[in-house]
PDB file of all heavy atoms in Angstrom:
ATOM      1  N   PHE A  33     -11.729   6.151  -3.721  1.00  0.00           N
ATOM      2  CA  PHE A  33     -12.078   5.891  -5.123  1.00  0.00           C
ATOM      3  C   PHE A  33     -12.483   7.189  -5.818  1.00  0.00           C
ATOM      4  O   PHE A  33     -12.017   7.510  -6.909  1.00  0.00           O
ATOM      5  CB  PHE A  33     -13.217   4.871  -5.165  1.00  0.00           C
ATOM      6  CG  PHE A  33     -13.728   4.528  -6.535  1.00  0.00           C
ATOM      7  CD1 PHE A  33     -13.256   3.415  -7.213  1.00  0.00           C
ATOM      8  CD2 PHE A  33     -14.709   5.295  -7.151  1.00  0.00           C
ATOM      9  CE1 PHE A  33     -13.722   3.076  -8.474  1.00  0.00           C
ATOM     10  CE2 PHE A  33     -15.185   4.984  -8.412  1.00  0.00           C
ATOM     11  CZ  PHE A  33     -14.690   3.871  -9.083  1.00  0.00           C
ATOM     12  N   LEU A  60     -11.385  15.324   2.525  1.00  0.00           N
ATOM     13  CA  LEU A  60     -10.086  14.788   2.104  1.00  0.00           C
ATOM     14  C   LEU A  60      -9.415  15.704   1.083  1.00  0.00           C
ATOM     15  O   LEU A  60      -8.198  15.942   1.157  1.00  0.00           O
ATOM     16  CB  LEU A  60     -10.270  13.387   1.518  1.00  0.00           C
ATOM     17  CG  LEU A  60      -9.001  12.682   1.041  1.00  0.00           C
ATOM     18  CD1 LEU A  60      -7.970  12.581   2.172  1.00  0.00           C
ATOM     19  CD2 LEU A  60      -9.327  11.299   0.494  1.00  0.00           C
ATOM     20  N   VAL A 108     -19.652  32.805   0.846  1.00  0.00           N
ATOM     21  CA  VAL A 108     -20.162  31.437   0.985  1.00  0.00           C
ATOM     22  C   VAL A 108     -19.219  30.442   0.307  1.00  0.00           C
ATOM     23  O   VAL A 108     -18.685  30.711  -0.766  1.00  0.00           O
ATOM     24  CB  VAL A 108     -21.583  31.340   0.368  1.00  0.00           C
ATOM     25  CG1 VAL A 108     -21.949  29.912   0.032  1.00  0.00           C
ATOM     26  CG2 VAL A 108     -22.599  31.935   1.324  1.00  0.00           C
ATOM     27  N   MET A 118     -34.391  25.631 -10.043  1.00  0.00           N
ATOM     28  CA  MET A 118     -33.309  26.522  -9.648  1.00  0.00           C
ATOM     29  C   MET A 118     -32.006  26.146 -10.352  1.00  0.00           C
ATOM     30  O   MET A 118     -31.171  27.008 -10.660  1.00  0.00           O
ATOM     31  CB  MET A 118     -33.095  26.479  -8.131  1.00  0.00           C
ATOM     32  CG  MET A 118     -34.263  27.004  -7.304  1.00  0.00           C
ATOM     33  SD  MET A 118     -34.632  28.733  -7.626  1.00  0.00           S
ATOM     34  CE  MET A 118     -36.050  28.575  -8.722  1.00  0.00           C
ATOM     35  N   VAL A 120     -31.741  25.069 -13.356  1.00  0.00           N
ATOM     36  CA  VAL A 120     -31.823  25.654 -14.692  1.00  0.00           C
ATOM     37  C   VAL A 120     -31.698  27.175 -14.620  1.00  0.00           C
ATOM     38  O   VAL A 120     -30.931  27.795 -15.367  1.00  0.00           O
ATOM     39  CB  VAL A 120     -33.154  25.253 -15.371  1.00  0.00           C
ATOM     40  CG1 VAL A 120     -33.285  25.921 -16.733  1.00  0.00           C
ATOM     41  CG2 VAL A 120     -33.243  23.734 -15.516  1.00  0.00           C
ATOM     42  N   VAL A 135     -21.359  17.755  -6.108  1.00  0.00           N
ATOM     43  CA  VAL A 135     -21.958  16.478  -5.724  1.00  0.00           C
ATOM     44  C   VAL A 135     -23.388  16.461  -6.242  1.00  0.00           C
ATOM     45  O   VAL A 135     -24.194  17.332  -5.892  1.00  0.00           O
ATOM     46  CB  VAL A 135     -21.942  16.285  -4.197  1.00  0.00           C
ATOM     47  CG1 VAL A 135     -22.639  14.983  -3.822  1.00  0.00           C
ATOM     48  CG2 VAL A 135     -20.518  16.299  -3.669  1.00  0.00           C
ATOM     49  N   GLU A 185     -30.503   5.320 -19.702  1.00  0.00           N
ATOM     50  CA  GLU A 185     -30.517   6.363 -18.684  1.00  0.00           C
ATOM     51  C   GLU A 185     -29.122   6.641 -18.116  1.00  0.00           C
ATOM     52  O   GLU A 185     -28.938   7.575 -17.347  1.00  0.00           O
ATOM     53  CB  GLU A 185     -31.490   5.972 -17.571  1.00  0.00           C
ATOM     54  CG  GLU A 185     -32.932   5.916 -18.077  1.00  0.00           C
ATOM     55  CD  GLU A 185     -33.919   5.496 -17.009  1.00  0.00           C
ATOM     56  OE1 GLU A 185     -33.476   5.107 -15.914  1.00  0.00           O
ATOM     57  OE2 GLU A 185     -35.127   5.551 -17.274  1.00  0.00           O
ATOM     58  N   TYR A 187     -26.475   7.195 -20.189  1.00  0.00           N
ATOM     59  CA  TYR A 187     -25.664   7.890 -21.189  1.00  0.00           C
ATOM     60  C   TYR A 187     -25.267   9.301 -20.754  1.00  0.00           C
ATOM     61  O   TYR A 187     -24.106   9.694 -20.902  1.00  0.00           O
ATOM     62  CB  TYR A 187     -26.389   7.956 -22.537  1.00  0.00           C
ATOM     63  CG  TYR A 187     -25.536   8.611 -23.604  1.00  0.00           C
ATOM     64  CD1 TYR A 187     -24.547   7.897 -24.265  1.00  0.00           C
ATOM     65  CD2 TYR A 187     -25.691   9.962 -23.933  1.00  0.00           C
ATOM     66  CE1 TYR A 187     -23.730   8.484 -25.229  1.00  0.00           C
ATOM     67  CE2 TYR A 187     -24.879  10.564 -24.891  1.00  0.00           C
ATOM     68  CZ  TYR A 187     -23.914   9.827 -25.529  1.00  0.00           C
ATOM     69  OH  TYR A 187     -23.113  10.421 -26.470  1.00  0.00           O
ATOM     70  N   ARG A 208     -25.028   9.438 -28.899  1.00  0.00           N
ATOM     71  CA  ARG A 208     -26.124   8.842 -28.138  1.00  0.00           C
ATOM     72  C   ARG A 208     -26.875   7.790 -28.937  1.00  0.00           C
ATOM     73  O   ARG A 208     -27.227   6.728 -28.411  1.00  0.00           O
ATOM     74  CB  ARG A 208     -27.097   9.939 -27.662  1.00  0.00           C
ATOM     75  CG  ARG A 208     -28.212   9.401 -26.773  1.00  0.00           C
ATOM     76  CD  ARG A 208     -28.791  10.491 -25.903  1.00  0.00           C
ATOM     77  NE  ARG A 208     -29.324  11.595 -26.658  1.00  0.00           N
ATOM     78  CZ  ARG A 208     -30.622  11.741 -26.947  1.00  0.00           C
ATOM     79  NH1 ARG A 208     -31.498  10.856 -26.549  1.00  0.00           N
ATOM     80  NH2 ARG A 208     -31.046  12.795 -27.623  1.00  0.00           N
ATOM     81  N   ARG A 242     -21.403  -3.027 -18.384  1.00  0.00           N
ATOM     82  CA  ARG A 242     -20.904  -3.028 -17.005  1.00  0.00           C
ATOM     83  C   ARG A 242     -19.381  -3.154 -16.970  1.00  0.00           C
ATOM     84  O   ARG A 242     -18.709  -2.563 -16.133  1.00  0.00           O
ATOM     85  CB  ARG A 242     -21.554  -4.163 -16.210  1.00  0.00           C
ATOM     86  CG  ARG A 242     -23.059  -4.019 -16.059  1.00  0.00           C
ATOM     87  CD  ARG A 242     -23.433  -2.748 -15.292  1.00  0.00           C
ATOM     88  NE  ARG A 242     -24.864  -2.520 -15.388  1.00  0.00           N
ATOM     89  CZ  ARG A 242     -25.416  -1.623 -16.157  1.00  0.00           C
ATOM     90  NH1 ARG A 242     -24.664  -0.840 -16.916  1.00  0.00           N
ATOM     91  NH2 ARG A 242     -26.724  -1.457 -16.199  1.00  0.00           N
ATOM     92  N   VAL A 294     -67.814  -1.399 -11.820  1.00  0.00           N
ATOM     93  CA  VAL A 294     -67.846  -2.635 -12.604  1.00  0.00           C
ATOM     94  C   VAL A 294     -66.433  -3.012 -13.044  1.00  0.00           C
ATOM     95  O   VAL A 294     -66.045  -4.188 -13.025  1.00  0.00           O
ATOM     96  CB  VAL A 294     -68.766  -2.466 -13.834  1.00  0.00           C
ATOM     97  CG1 VAL A 294     -68.613  -3.651 -14.780  1.00  0.00           C
ATOM     98  CG2 VAL A 294     -70.221  -2.333 -13.390  1.00  0.00           C
ATOM     99  N   THR A 328     -57.147   4.215 -13.370  1.00  0.00           N
ATOM    100  CA  THR A 328     -58.081   4.731 -12.369  1.00  0.00           C
ATOM    101  C   THR A 328     -58.781   3.594 -11.645  1.00  0.00           C
ATOM    102  O   THR A 328     -58.872   3.567 -10.409  1.00  0.00           O
ATOM    103  CB  THR A 328     -59.132   5.637 -13.031  1.00  0.00           C
ATOM    104  OG1 THR A 328     -58.458   6.714 -13.683  1.00  0.00           O
ATOM    105  CG2 THR A 328     -60.091   6.186 -11.995  1.00  0.00           C
ATOM    106  N   GLU A 346     -53.714  -1.900  12.950  1.00  0.00           N
ATOM    107  CA  GLU A 346     -54.175  -1.550  14.301  1.00  0.00           C
ATOM    108  C   GLU A 346     -53.746  -2.609  15.306  1.00  0.00           C
ATOM    109  O   GLU A 346     -53.276  -2.286  16.411  1.00  0.00           O
ATOM    110  CB  GLU A 346     -55.697  -1.398  14.308  1.00  0.00           C
ATOM    111  CG  GLU A 346     -56.247  -0.992  15.668  1.00  0.00           C
ATOM    112  CD  GLU A 346     -57.761  -0.936  15.681  1.00  0.00           C
ATOM    113  OE1 GLU A 346     -58.384  -1.545  14.789  1.00  0.00           O
ATOM    114  OE2 GLU A 346     -58.328  -0.305  16.597  1.00  0.00           O
ATOM    115  N   LEU A 379     -56.374   5.065  14.550  1.00  0.00           N
ATOM    116  CA  LEU A 379     -55.399   5.004  15.634  1.00  0.00           C
ATOM    117  C   LEU A 379     -55.611   6.103  16.666  1.00  0.00           C
ATOM    118  O   LEU A 379     -55.429   5.876  17.869  1.00  0.00           O
ATOM    119  CB  LEU A 379     -53.985   5.086  15.053  1.00  0.00           C
ATOM    120  CG  LEU A 379     -53.555   3.916  14.159  1.00  0.00           C
ATOM    121  CD1 LEU A 379     -52.167   4.153  13.599  1.00  0.00           C
ATOM    122  CD2 LEU A 379     -53.606   2.601  14.929  1.00  0.00           C
ATOM    123  N   GLN A 382     -57.818   5.390  19.374  1.00  0.00           N
ATOM    124  CA  GLN A 382     -57.227   4.535  20.407  1.00  0.00           C
ATOM    125  C   GLN A 382     -56.178   5.293  21.226  1.00  0.00           C
ATOM    126  O   GLN A 382     -55.405   4.677  21.969  1.00  0.00           O
ATOM    127  CB  GLN A 382     -56.562   3.318  19.744  1.00  0.00           C
ATOM    128  CG  GLN A 382     -57.473   2.499  18.856  1.00  0.00           C
ATOM    129  CD  GLN A 382     -58.461   1.677  19.650  1.00  0.00           C
ATOM    130  OE1 GLN A 382     -58.249   1.416  20.830  1.00  0.00           O
ATOM    131  NE2 GLN A 382     -59.567   1.282  19.020  1.00  0.00           N
ATOM    132  N   VAL A 385     -50.367   8.156  19.490  1.00  0.00           N
ATOM    133  CA  VAL A 385     -49.740   9.380  18.990  1.00  0.00           C
ATOM    134  C   VAL A 385     -49.243   9.109  17.570  1.00  0.00           C
ATOM    135  O   VAL A 385     -48.361   8.274  17.362  1.00  0.00           O
ATOM    136  CB  VAL A 385     -48.579   9.829  19.884  1.00  0.00           C
ATOM    137  CG1 VAL A 385     -47.973  11.128  19.346  1.00  0.00           C
ATOM    138  CG2 VAL A 385     -49.058  10.019  21.322  1.00  0.00           C
ATOM    139  N   ARG A 398     -43.008  18.329   8.499  1.00  0.00           N
ATOM    140  CA  ARG A 398     -42.154  17.163   8.230  1.00  0.00           C
ATOM    141  C   ARG A 398     -41.042  17.057   9.278  1.00  0.00           C
ATOM    142  O   ARG A 398     -40.795  15.973   9.829  1.00  0.00           O
ATOM    143  CB  ARG A 398     -41.548  17.292   6.833  1.00  0.00           C
ATOM    144  CG  ARG A 398     -40.541  16.216   6.485  1.00  0.00           C
ATOM    145  CD  ARG A 398     -39.837  16.551   5.173  1.00  0.00           C
ATOM    146  NE  ARG A 398     -40.775  16.474   4.070  1.00  0.00           N
ATOM    147  CZ  ARG A 398     -40.987  15.371   3.363  1.00  0.00           C
ATOM    148  NH1 ARG A 398     -40.316  14.270   3.644  1.00  0.00           N
ATOM    149  NH2 ARG A 398     -41.850  15.371   2.376  1.00  0.00           N
ATOM    150  N   ILE A 448     -37.895   1.398   2.993  1.00  0.00           N
ATOM    151  CA  ILE A 448     -37.442   0.518   4.079  1.00  0.00           C
ATOM    152  C   ILE A 448     -36.084   0.979   4.604  1.00  0.00           C
ATOM    153  O   ILE A 448     -35.792   0.897   5.807  1.00  0.00           O
ATOM    154  CB  ILE A 448     -37.385  -0.937   3.586  1.00  0.00           C
ATOM    155  CG1 ILE A 448     -38.814  -1.432   3.300  1.00  0.00           C
ATOM    156  CG2 ILE A 448     -36.703  -1.851   4.604  1.00  0.00           C
ATOM    157  CD1 ILE A 448     -38.874  -2.728   2.535  1.00  0.00           C
ATOM    158  N   LEU A 486     -33.630  -6.072 -12.021  1.00  0.00           N
ATOM    159  CA  LEU A 486     -32.627  -5.125 -11.537  1.00  0.00           C
ATOM    160  C   LEU A 486     -31.371  -5.843 -11.062  1.00  0.00           C
ATOM    161  O   LEU A 486     -30.246  -5.397 -11.307  1.00  0.00           O
ATOM    162  CB  LEU A 486     -33.212  -4.287 -10.388  1.00  0.00           C
ATOM    163  CG  LEU A 486     -34.196  -3.191 -10.793  1.00  0.00           C
ATOM    164  CD1 LEU A 486     -34.815  -2.584  -9.542  1.00  0.00           C
ATOM    165  CD2 LEU A 486     -33.522  -2.112 -11.605  1.00  0.00           C
ATOM    166  N   ASN A 492     -22.873  -7.655 -12.917  1.00  0.00           N
ATOM    167  CA  ASN A 492     -21.445  -7.495 -13.179  1.00  0.00           C
ATOM    168  C   ASN A 492     -20.919  -6.111 -12.808  1.00  0.00           C
ATOM    169  O   ASN A 492     -19.854  -5.707 -13.276  1.00  0.00           O
ATOM    170  CB  ASN A 492     -21.154  -7.761 -14.657  1.00  0.00           C
ATOM    171  CG  ASN A 492     -21.348  -9.206 -15.017  1.00  0.00           C
ATOM    172  OD1 ASN A 492     -21.027 -10.080 -14.234  1.00  0.00           O
ATOM    173  ND2 ASN A 492     -21.908  -9.472 -16.182  1.00  0.00           N
TER     174      ASN A 492
END
Side-chain angles (χ1 to χ4, degrees):
F33 178 95
L60 181 57
V108 159
M118 295 298 101
V120 177
V135 177
E185 295 178 352
Y187 183 80
R208 184 157 59 98
R242 296 298 169 256
V294 170
T328 301
E346 182 184 19
L379 295 177
Q382 304 287 340
V385 181
R398 174 189 293 269
I448 293 167
L486 285 173
N492 291 322

